[in-house]
Amino acid sequence: MALALGAALTMQNAAEASAPTPARSAAWAGQLAHRIDTALAGRTAGSYYDATSKQLIVNVLDAATADSVRKAGAEPRTVKHSMAQLNAAREVLKEKASIPGTAWSMDPVSNKIVVKADRTVSGDRLTKLSQTVRSLGDRATLKRTAGRFQPLIAGGDAIWGSDARCSLGFNVTVGGQPYFLTAGHCGNAVSNWSDQQGGSEIAVTEASTFPGHDYALVRYTSDIDHPSAVDLYDGTSQQIDSAANATVGEQVQRSGSTTGVNGGQVTGLDATVTYEEGQVNGLIDTTVCAEPGDSGGSLFDGSTALGLTSGGSGDCTSGGETFFQPVPDALEAYGAQIG
């Protein structure tokens, strides 16, 4: 069994008339956004990719910054709230409303912090959350989510560790040796992995972080094939040759052992989610669906690795919302490279 990126590891219990050119793709927008953020640190208030115009939109507060953004090749948009103001709102939420079942992220389109409460947030906890959001004025807005925010874990056939399984994220190398990335809540639960229930060991968890972040590094201990590719669950795979940060507005795909491949859009970055098991920061918020058993699976855009499935709410029948751990953060943490 070749272990493509997105082949399974899930845990018990616990698409201009033609395709966009590289100069106007979401990947281009992400790279440009990074350059602008670096050059204009503190002067912009987020950015997003407009798929209709194939343009990067950058939020600004003054004419001088707008001119700089235009010269860089993006389209400026004047907004009310600075990044500093929005970050201050996030700190208030962290201090006063770190309630299990809640999540928040900066939405550059609305220029607000979008706070979400799942179905478990009620009574005094909902009152406290609502009061905190109201205290932030028009810097924040509160929305309800029908489901429950949880790590997407469940039993089933895939890559196993005793009574647990999780979806493999991306194959990587560390010091020239083969490893793979998966979710930290998977790595926390499993030390020795197999490619079948009750099978022989193929890999061992070497490092794992959850909560705080949600990534784990697993070292191969057998000669099993480990291509740098994502399983598309149709007999084919997508080659993966790089990793990058996601961009708001980017169309993405997720591969996982329970529901195969599903697509959606990035709606927020640097999201904070408070699961019952603890708070995780710096996540990618998306409209992609996922279900228990998809934990650790691959979020990607073409040949670019973006994220590892962390958790969310809903399902792939009625729709849902899923959060992902950015891959670049995991690569940096472990000194790893895609491959």
Side-chain angles (χ1 to χ4, degrees), residues 231-314:
D231 188 351
L232 298 182
Y233 286 90
D234 62 359
T236 67
S237 61
Q238 169 65 59
Q239 183 72 21
I240 299 295
D241 56 26
S242 64
N245 288 306
T247 303
V248 171
E250 184 171 5
Q251 294 295 320
V252 293
Q253 290 182 293
R254 176 200 52 76
S255 178
S257 64
T258 299
T259 57
V261 177
N262 287 274
Q265 182 172 304
V266 175
T267 58
L269 300 175
D270 199 19
T272 295
V273 183
T274 305
Y275 301 120
E276 289 287 348
E277 298 84 353
Q279 191 171 84
V280 183
N281 302 301
L283 299 180
I284 305 166
D285 193 355
T286 74
T287 61
V288 183
C289 72
E291 296 182 9
D294 289 324
S295 276
S298 324
L299 182 72
F300 60 101
D301 181 356
S303 62
T304 303
L306 299 173
L308 305 166
T309 306
S310 175
S313 67

Side-chain angles (χ1 to χ4, degrees), residues 89-100:
R90 292 171 58 93
E91 288 303 311
V92 171
L93 288 164
K94 184 174 182 179
E95 178 184 352
K96 298 182 178 181
S98 288
I99 299 167

Side-chain angles (χ1 to χ4, degrees), residues 72-92:
E75 181 66 28
R77 169 177 174 255
T78 302
V79 295
K80 179 178 180 180
H81 303 301
S82 68
M83 186 61 77
Q85 291 172 321
L86 295 176
N87 284 337
R90 292 171 58 93
E91 288 303 311
V92 171

Side-chain angles (χ1 to χ4, degrees), residues 103-119:
W104 53 79
S105 63
M106 198 279 284
D107 174 22
V109 179
S110 66
N111 187 225
K112 294 181 180 182
I113 301 297
V114 177
V115 183
K116 299 173 184 177
D118 72 14
R119 60 178 171 79

Side-chain angles (χ1 to χ4, degrees), residues 172-189:
V172 299
T173 61
V174 179
Q177 299 303 306
Y179 291 75
F180 65 79
L181 299 174
T182 189
H185 65 269
C186 295
N188 280 5

